[in-house]
């Protein structure tokens, strides 16, 4: 990445972007404490996922990695994997919506459930739309001058990083259902769309290898592309495993129910 076209933003900007994730950690822990007072213990596994997921996002937005990502493409790509893939996956596994519904009063929880059924949520959480927002956004970022502009304008930098995280989170919950899902789609449909989306992500990594973004040196682009390709594969394998496990579990339960009914 050409140093003349990249700059580190003030610490206050880094803090501003990372602040929502610090707040999310506090809210989640408070919700766990409140929920545990009235209902059975919230799984420690989910709390750990939430903490690690938020920390994964925070280290990409503030600190040494955040500063280095402005001048080194490989560091930027590590940040992309943490912020756009690992953090969303871990936070989805933490089931924040289920925890919130357990914590709220019955009437408030019902209102929230009705809100989640609105057409906008249905549109955004559709697997195809979520894939376009996520992978399509990455194609736009790395194949246009947007990547270079992001390092020159603070507001654009903030917007793109928020988009990378939110699009990654929506993409994750569009395929694996950990929280209550008001608009579920069949496993076959989700699996087919996921394969196409993951292929588009891998092809983008190869494109970056052969066609470095503007002002990114060839050696940095090649290293960053490898990190995106192989690091993305590692996280995507977990996503695919969870989807197929949920599919297997659903099929097994359906077969068991039919067997039980027929034996009566």
């Amino acid at each position: 990445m050409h140093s003349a076209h990249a700059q580190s933003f003030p610490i206050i900007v880094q803090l501003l972007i990372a602040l929502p994730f610090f707040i999310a950690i506090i809210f989640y822990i408070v919700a766990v404490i409140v929920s545990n007072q009235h209902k059975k213990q919230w799984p420690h596994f989910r709390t750990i996922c939430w903490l690690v997921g938020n920390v994964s996002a925070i280290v990409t937005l503030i600190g040494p990695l955040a500063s280095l990502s402005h001048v080194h493409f490989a560091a930027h790509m590590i940040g992309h994997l943490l912020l756009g893939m690992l953090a969303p996956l871990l936070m989805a596994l933490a089931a924040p919506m289920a925890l919130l519904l357990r914590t709220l009063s019955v009437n408030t929880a019902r209102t929230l459930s009705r809100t989640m059924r609105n057409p906008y949520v249905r549109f955004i959480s559709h697997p195809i739309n979520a894939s376009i927002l996520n992978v399509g956004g990455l194609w736009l970022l790395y194949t246009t001058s947007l990547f270079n502009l992001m390092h020159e304008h603070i507001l654009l930098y903030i917007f793109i990083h928020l988009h990378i995280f939110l699009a990654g989170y929506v993409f994750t919950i569009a395929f694996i259902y950990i929280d209550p899902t008001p608009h579920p789609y069949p496993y076959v449909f989700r699996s087919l769309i996921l394969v196409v989306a993951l292929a588009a992500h891998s092809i983008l990594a190869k494109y970056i290898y052969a066609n470095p973004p503007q002002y990114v040196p060839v050696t940095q682009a090649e290293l960053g592309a490898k990190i995106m390709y192989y690091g993305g594969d590692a996280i995507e394998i977990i996503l695919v495993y969870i989807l197929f496990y949920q599919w297997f579990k659903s099929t097994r339960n359906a077969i068991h129910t039919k067997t039980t009914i027929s034996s009566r």
Side-chain angles (χ1 to χ4, degrees):
M1 203 177 302
H2 200 294
S3 58
H5 295 273
Q7 58 174 319
S8 294
F9 295 127
I11 186 67
I12 188 67
V13 174
Q14 297 182 22
L15 276 171
L16 181 65
I17 308 175
L19 183 61
F21 296 99
F22 285 111
I23 294 175
I25 291 176
I26 295 172
F27 269 86
Y28 192 94
I29 292 175
V30 170
V32 170
I33 294 172
V34 172
S35 176
N36 287 347
Q37 290 176 344
H38 306 286
K39 300 181 178 177
K40 72 176 184 179
Q41 294 292 301
W42 184 251
H44 296 308
F45 165 75
R46 300 207 184 283
T47 304
I48 292 171
C49 283
W50 187 258
L51 294 176
V52 178
N54 277 278
V55 170
S56 298
I58 289 171
V59 298
T60 68
L61 301 172
I62 186 171
L65 180 59
S67 299
L68 187 60
S69 67
H70 288 280
V71 294
H72 201 290
F73 189 69
H76 163 82
M77 197 52 72
I78 292 173
H80 157 68
L81 292 180
L82 293 175
L83 181 66
M85 299 185 73
L86 183 61
L89 175 60
L90 291 173
M91 293 169 75
L93 291 174
M97 187 57 66
L99 175 62
L100 182 60
L101 292 173
R102 276 168 50 118
T103 308
L104 296 174
S105 65
V106 174
N107 290 335
T108 307
R110 286 175 178 168
T111 302
L112 179 61
S113 296
R114 283 195 295 272
T115 303
M116 296 304 294
R117 295 192 191 98
N118 72 60
Y120 175 76
V121 174
R122 184 184 185 91
F123 177 81
I124 292 294
S125 63
H126 190 286
I128 293 178
N129 297 332
S131 299
I132 293 173
L133 282 172
N134 187 28
V135 185
L138 293 177
W139 272 91
L140 186 65
L141 177 63
Y142 294 119
T143 60
T144 68
S145 58
L146 196 59
F147 178 74
N148 183 52
L149 292 173
M150 175 182 71
H151 294 284
E152 297 178 345
H153 302 282
I154 291 178
L155 291 179
L156 189 59
Y157 178 86
I158 294 173
F159 173 78
I160 288 177
H161 279 72
L162 287 177
H163 173 83
I164 287 174
F165 168 73
L166 292 175
Y169 185 77
V170 171
F171 177 80
T172 303
I173 63 174
F175 290 98
I176 58 172
Y177 297 158
I178 306 297
D179 270 322
T181 305
H183 311 292
Y185 293 90
Y187 283 105
V188 173
F189 177 71
R190 279 185 281 152
S191 298
L192 291 174
I193 301 302
L194 181 59
V195 169
V196 174
L198 299 186
H201 189 266
S202 297
I203 292 171
L204 176 59
K206 292 181 179 180
Y207 181 87
I208 292 172
Y209 188 92
N211 303 277
Q214 192 176 20
Y215 301 118
V216 175
V218 174
T219 53
Q220 288 189 25
E222 291 177 350
L223 180 57
K226 290 178 181 177
I227 292 172
M228 182 180 187
Y229 188 85
Y230 293 109
D233 276 357
I235 299 172
E236 289 163 357
I237 287 173
I238 300 174
L239 187 66
V240 171
Y241 172 81
I242 294 172
L243 174 62
F244 283 7
Y245 176 75
Q246 291 181 334
W247 191 353
F248 164 76
K249 194 174 176 181
S250 173
T251 305
R252 183 187 60 185
N253 292 340
I255 293 174
H256 177 72
T257 302
K258 289 181 180 178
T259 304
T260 303
I261 293 174
S262 61
S263 63
R264 289 177 180 173

